């Protein structure tokens, strides 16, 4: 027989501290039993008013005991479930339905095209089979700015979507990602983008008169929010 390829979509784990919770619940239950015994054994036999007050208090206590019992039973075997979202597509990828996502905008002044573009790129980067995902933008304002912004977004998506999938980017909105990304890279050198514009060691690096040119290097540092880049001192260190 072939091996079963079934993988669970979630894992059930027990909540820690259940033994302590049960001990506390047992002590509370014991206290409730003592209260009930006290109410029954020392029921007043005197005036009518005292008996009705006693009965009212007893009924109130019984009601709160019943409420405590319901809440305790619901937490007696507390568990939490850890979902494996990535396994959903592995099991049902061929059965997943097509999804249409509608994004609406009306006024490019109130809703800037940059915000609309970030929304569209965010939903385009959903972890869903791209052939089953369709995004529609409804522009009630008929804005040329929004239209040309969408053209740029369509071109940028060719780079942004593979980047999101490769590095599992969250959130998938470019603006939100670059605003909140704060994790430093493993090595400071990885922050750098270096381009040698003129290599003085190259014999072809000469001016129009045949004189050698000095080396010219372009270096850019990535500055991430919440990660100190040390301003000009950091630039000198990188150089």
């Amino acid at each position: 027989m072939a091996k079963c390829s079934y993988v669970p979509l979630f894992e059930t784990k027990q909540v820690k501290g259940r033994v302590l919770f049960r001990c506390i619940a047992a002590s509370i239950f014991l206290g409730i039993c003592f209260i009930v015994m006290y109410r029954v054994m020392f029921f007043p036999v005197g005036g009518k008013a005292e008996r009705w007050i006693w009965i009212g208090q007893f009924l109130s206590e019984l009601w709160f005991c019943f409420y405590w019992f319901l809440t305790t039973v619901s937490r007696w075997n507390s568990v939490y479930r850890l979902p494996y979202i990535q396994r959903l597509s592995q099991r049902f990828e061929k059965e997943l339905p097509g999804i249409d996502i509608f994004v609406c905008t009306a006024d490019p002044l109130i809703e800037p095209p940059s915000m609309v573009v970030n929304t569209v790129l965010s939903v385009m980067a959903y972890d869903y089979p791209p052939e089953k995902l369709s995004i529609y933008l409804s522009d009630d304002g008929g804005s040329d700015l929004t239209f040309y912004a969408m053209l740029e977004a369509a071109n940028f998506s060719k780079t942004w979507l593979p980047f999101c999938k490769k590095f599992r980017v969250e959130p998938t909105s470019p603006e939100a990602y670059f605003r909140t990304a704060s994790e430093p890279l493993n090595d400071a050198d990885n922050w750098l983008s270096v381009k040698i514009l003129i290599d003085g060691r190259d014999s072809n690096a000469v001016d129009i008169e045949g004189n050698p040119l000095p080396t010219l290097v372009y270096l850019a540092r990535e500055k991430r929010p919440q990660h100190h880049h040390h301003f000009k001192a950091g630039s000198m260190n990188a150089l």
Side-chain angles (χ1 to χ4, degrees):
M1 295 179 62
K3 294 184 178 179
C4 179
S5 59
Y6 174 83
V7 289
L9 297 180
F10 63 89
E11 181 181 357
T12 302
K13 293 185 177 181
Q14 296 180 349
V15 175
K16 295 181 179 179
R18 294 201 305 171
V19 176
L20 178 61
F21 170 76
R22 291 179 178 181
C23 292
I24 296 175
S27 64
I28 295 175
F29 179 74
L30 182 62
I32 291 174
C33 292
F34 285 138
I35 292 175
V36 174
M37 291 175 57
Y38 172 78
R39 290 297 182 189
V40 173
M41 294 175 61
F42 297 94
F43 187 81
V45 294
K48 185 176 181 180
E50 289 81 358
R51 284 181 296 182
W52 281 112
I53 293 175
W54 191 274
I55 292 174
Q57 291 178 341
F58 188 33
L59 292 177
S60 299
E61 291 166 352
L62 289 178
W63 169 253
F64 283 110
C65 291
F66 177 70
Y67 173 77
W68 172 86
F69 176 77
L70 293 180
T71 56
T72 303
V73 168
S74 63
R75 293 184 293 178
W76 191 257
N77 291 314
S78 298
V79 297
Y80 68 92
R81 290 178 172 83
L82 181 65
Y84 299 109
I85 302 177
Q86 68 279 7
R87 295 180 180 178
L88 183 64
S89 59
Q90 295 177 3
R91 186 189 298 183
F92 301 107
E93 184 170 6
K94 295 181 180 179
E95 303 176 11
L96 293 175
I99 294 181
D100 295 331
I101 299 178
F102 299 93
V103 180
C104 299
T105 185
D107 190 338
L109 297 179
I110 300 177
E111 300 168 338
S114 60
M115 181 179 67
V116 177
V117 164
N118 276 280
T119 302
V120 171
L121 290 172
S122 178
V123 297
M124 289 180 68
Y126 279 173
D127 185 13
Y128 204 81
E131 66 276 5
K132 296 184 178 182
L133 185 63
S134 301
I135 296 91
Y136 300 87
L137 176 66
S138 174
D139 183 13
D140 289 346
S143 170
D144 291 338
L145 291 176
T146 302
F147 173 72
Y148 287 112
M150 289 300 299
L151 291 179
E152 294 298 327
N155 291 328
F156 181 62
S157 66
K158 299 176 183 179
T159 302
W160 178 246
L161 300 188
F163 175 77
C164 291
K165 292 181 179 179
K166 181 178 180 180
F167 297 102
R168 298 181 179 179
V169 170
E170 287 292 341
T172 54
S173 167
E175 181 181 3
Y177 171 74
F178 290 113
R179 184 176 63 246
T180 59
S182 60
E183 292 297 328
L185 299 178
N186 294 332
D187 185 39
D189 292 340
N190 292 333
W191 280 54
L192 306 179
S193 174
V194 181
K195 178 66 175 178
I196 300 177
L197 302 179
I198 300 177
D199 189 352
R201 298 168 298 179
D202 188 355
S203 58
N204 295 322
V206 294
D207 59 17
I208 59 176
E209 296 182 354
N211 299 317
L213 293 171
T215 298
L216 178 62
V217 179
Y218 170 81
L219 182 144
R221 287 197 307 151
E222 179 184 5
K223 296 180 181 179
R224 297 194 173 189
Q226 302 177 5
H227 183 82
H228 209 305
H229 49 78
H230 302 292
F231 303 99
K232 294 294 181 64
S235 297
M236 297 306 297
N237 289 336
L239 288 170

